[in-house]
Amino acid sequence: MINLISDTVTKPTSEMMEAMLQARVGDDVFKEDPTVNALEEKLASMFGVQAALFFPSGTMANQTAIKLHTQPGEQLICDKYAHIYNYEGGGVSFNSSVSCKLIDGDRGMMTAEQVEAAINPPDFYHSPLSSLVAIENTTNKGGGACWNLTALQQIRELCDDHQLAYHLDGARLWNALVAKDQEPKTYGKLFDTISVCLSKGLGCPVGSVLLGSKEHIEKAIRIRKVFGGGMRQAGYLAAAGMYALDHHMDRLKDDHQRAKDIADVLKQAAFVKKIEPVETNILIFEIEEKVLQEAEFIKILEQHQIRIISMGEGKWRMVTHLDYTKEQHQQLLSILKQIG
Ligand SMILES: *Cc1c(COP(=O)(O)O)cnc(C)c1O
């Protein structure tokens, strides 16, 4: 089976399992788990921020950030592709009672001009008060696209001018850092809060971390508690994160290269109508239905035990990852060539 539905399908390597088994643990709800504490300190220092907090999921880390930056009735600004808007179960409204002002960006990325136009004037009490701008890097629905730093900086300045909080959903920030050769500290300086995920490209079974100021993270602990995200001997999971940060970061470039290899083959294929530019480990493409019916395509994939995911509107997504081997890669490329 070649499973490219997501980079979340990976299982811990035996070395990672060994690191987990050796973990020193304690009760993290009392902040007494040494491994969770070490992971939080490691990430805070990596990003040059004051504090960090371990979460059971990226969704909960994002939702916590939204909750701490907003009051009920307010509005956040994000791209129409944003994970927080599309794929977090409506948590923005359920958890924080805020609405989203959606921007029609490019591959999930918007310009400072677009953000500025989306800010409601604070003295105009008829419209919701804008309080937060949330961006995503890399963009998921945007096909793993990476922001350029100038655009992020311009939005930062806008947030300062208009007293808006600025959150980064960095579920795949590691991929952007590796692809663009950027430093975590650059992001630590730009944003009020950042969520990063350990269970995507880095290959951990569980875990995300929220980064920010001491003040924000102290509030975040309470919100995490309310959301039911306080975990006890979570050090077994944090140990996987520690291991992954040390051993699984550099290899992300292999995932990126493989996604590019697949794109190169698909570019030649008659059954493919369009491929979005590949910058990291995500590849989004559309089928040319005149050449190959979608139902037929699904059948061929099933025959070869290949799993990829439909994004709706005729779009398909493949995501390369740690458990996608060199052998599987060669096999997939030759199958795709055969389909023609
Ligand atoms: C995966 C992902 C998340 C978090 O999802 P979980 O399934 O809760 O870990 C958040 N944002 C983006 C962009 C993602 O791709």
Side-chain angles (χ1 to χ4, degrees), residues 7-8 56-60 62 82-84 87-88 136-141 169-172 195 197 199-200 207-208 317:
D7 45 7
T8 53
S57 74
T59 297
M60 198 191 283
N62 283 333
H83 192 277
I84 56 166
Y87 304 125
E88 300 193 1
E136 203 174 296
N137 198 20
T138 69
T139 65
N140 178 346
K141 206 171 156 66
D169 175 353
R172 293 193 182 82
S195 67
C197 185
S199 66
K200 289 194 169 149
S208 279
R317 187 186 82 168

Side-chain angles (χ1 to χ4, degrees), residues 163-179:
Q163 283 151 27
L164 308 176
Y166 195 21
H167 174 69
L168 165 59
D169 175 353
R172 293 193 182 82
L173 184 60
W174 311 119
N175 298 88
L177 292 173
V178 167

Side-chain angles (χ1 to χ4, degrees), residues 21-157:
L21 283 172
Q22 300 300 327
R24 288 169 54 232
V25 298
D27 189 337
D28 182 51
V29 171
F30 291 104
K31 293 307 289 168
E32 285 173 3
D33 186 300
T35 311
V36 173
N37 291 341
L39 175 71
E40 290 173 349
E41 278 162 31
K42 185 183 175 85
L43 280 165
S45 104
M46 214 172 147
F47 281 80
V49 299
Q50 289 172 340
L53 190 64
F54 189 55
F55 279 83
S57 74
T59 297
M60 198 191 283
N62 283 333
Q63 291 297 317
T64 295
I66 292 163
K67 183 81 188 150
L68 76 87
H69 292 307
T70 61
Q71 292 298 320
E74 293 178 352
Q75 193 164 63
L76 67 80
I77 297 167
C78 65
D79 189 90
K80 66 180 189 300
Y81 278 1
H83 192 277
I84 56 166
Y85 172 72
N86 289 291
Y87 304 125
E88 300 193 1
V92 170
S93 51
F94 189 87
N95 297 316
S96 298
S97 302
V98 298
S99 55
C100 297
K101 178 98 140 220
L102 298 181
I103 293 184
D104 186 17
D106 175 31
R107 304 178 71 214
M109 300 175 290
M110 57 244 193
T111 64
E113 291 73 31
Q114 286 177 307
V115 175
E116 186 156 36
I119 301 170
N120 294 326
D123 53 351
F124 187 68
Y125 58 76
H126 306 274
S127 55
L129 186 68
S130 309
S131 49
L132 167 67
V133 177
I135 73 109
E136 203 174 296
N137 198 20
T138 69
T139 65
N140 178 346
K141 206 171 156 66
C146 303
W147 284 72
N148 80 51
L149 285 174
T150 316
L152 293 176
Q153 182 66 45
Q154 286 166 345
I155 298 175
R156 167 79 264 173
E157 285 161 22

